[in-house]
Amino acid sequence: MYGQKKKYDEKCVESKMSKETMEQYMYSYLNKRYGLKSLVLEWAAAIINGVRKYSQEDSEVELFGKILKNECDEDFRFVYSEVKTAVLDILKEKLKLKYKRKTDAELKKLLNNIIAGDIEESQWKELLAQMYNEEHCCILERRLQEKALERKPRFSDAHCSLPFTEFQKVILVVIARQYLISSCLLMRNT
């Protein structure tokens, strides 16, 4: 839906029309695609219910839900995508350094195991230290530790772990707040 909306937004800009929110666009898109009001409402309900159901499991679905409800700027998805890519790239590099003798296939399997499972506290601390300044690092670490304690973490070597999906969600929430604050400050200054 993002791709279609981007094209629609470009047409709106060219025509000097105002852009629609994602929610407005969803209904316009469904109306154009299905025509019948009953089908439009059925599909819209299915999308909204899907977002409700899966946003707890997937940070990108949660982000789409926030954009759909106009709680988050649509362009934030690009920021989030960059952060998500950076996390994976840094994690790959850390694994390469730690397991120098492993093949690329073995390293990929290790990375996939982390993504599908848990990320250890030592891993998230290293990642955050490479990605953020000390202030943001402390905020994220504190929130991750709180989340880990809420979930009754598994302890290994006196460190806690957190499902990787939860790790991503915490980062999403914190960077979304920072993005929102930055956006508001920029709007005030213009």
Side-chain angles (χ1 to χ4, degrees):
M1 193 175 287
Y2 287 130
Q4 295 292 334
K5 175 135 183 357
K6 183 180 177 188
K7 290 177 188 175
Y8 181 79
D9 286 349
E10 289 168 358
K11 287 180 184 177
C12 287
V13 169
E14 288 172 10
S15 305
K16 298 183 180 173
M17 296 171 42
S18 59
K19 296 183 203 176
E20 293 181 331
T21 65
M22 183 61 84
E23 181 183 23
Q24 291 168 330
Y25 177 75
M26 177 184 72
Y27 284 104
S28 297
Y29 173 81
L30 293 173
N31 191 48
K32 184 178 175 185
R33 182 155 182 176
Y34 299 108
L36 295 172
K37 187 176 181 178
S38 60
L39 284 175
V40 169
L41 294 175
E42 184 180 328
W43 274 95
I47 291 169
I48 292 166
N49 289 333
V51 167
R52 277 190 198 123
K53 182 176 181 179
Y54 295 106
S55 66
Q56 294 299 313
E57 299 169 24
D58 189 314
S59 58
E60 289 185 44
V61 173
E62 181 179 16
L63 176 59
F64 177 73
K66 288 182 182 300
I67 291 170
L68 192 61
K69 293 185 283 186
N70 210 27
E71 293 175 358
C72 185
D73 183 63
E74 287 180 37
D75 289 339
F76 177 70
R77 68 189 169 98
F78 299 116
V79 173
Y80 181 66
S81 179
E82 287 176 21
V83 169
K84 191 174 176 181
T85 299
V87 165
L88 294 176
D89 288 347
I90 293 169
L91 198 51
K92 283 179 204 173
E93 287 305 311
K94 294 287 182 194
L95 290 171
K96 278 183 183 179
L97 289 172
K98 186 175 181 178
Y99 303 106
K100 293 177 182 167
R101 296 181 189 255
K102 297 226 182 244
T103 65
D104 285 343
E106 291 171 320
L107 290 169
K108 186 175 181 178
K109 187 176 179 182
L110 285 171
L111 179 65
N112 288 337
N113 287 341
I114 293 170
I115 293 168
D118 291 350
I119 183 167
E120 298 293 325
E121 183 177 20
S122 60
Q123 291 172 319
W124 82 54
K125 282 184 174 187
E126 285 181 31
L127 281 169
L128 298 177
Q130 279 192 256
M131 294 177 64
Y132 297 101
N133 64 31
E134 192 175 334
E135 178 188 353
H136 288 116
C137 223
C138 288
I139 292 167
L140 283 161
E141 282 181 21
R142 185 173 51 249
R143 187 63 195 116
L144 287 164
Q145 288 166 341
E146 289 168 3
K147 188 58 98 171
L149 289 172
E150 287 171 15
R151 296 186 56 85
K152 298 181 182 172
R154 288 174 258 157
F155 289 93
S156 63
D157 300 324
H159 295 288
C160 59
S161 64
L162 193 64
F164 192 79
T165 54
E166 288 295 319
F167 168 77
Q168 285 184 308
K169 287 182 73 155
V170 169
I171 290 179
L172 170 65
V173 169
V174 173
I175 63 173
R177 284 186 191 133
Q178 292 302 319
Y179 180 83
L180 206 62
I181 290 166
S182 299
S183 297
C184 290
L185 290 174
L186 285 174
M187 289 172 61
R188 274 193 217 152
N189 293 330
T190 55

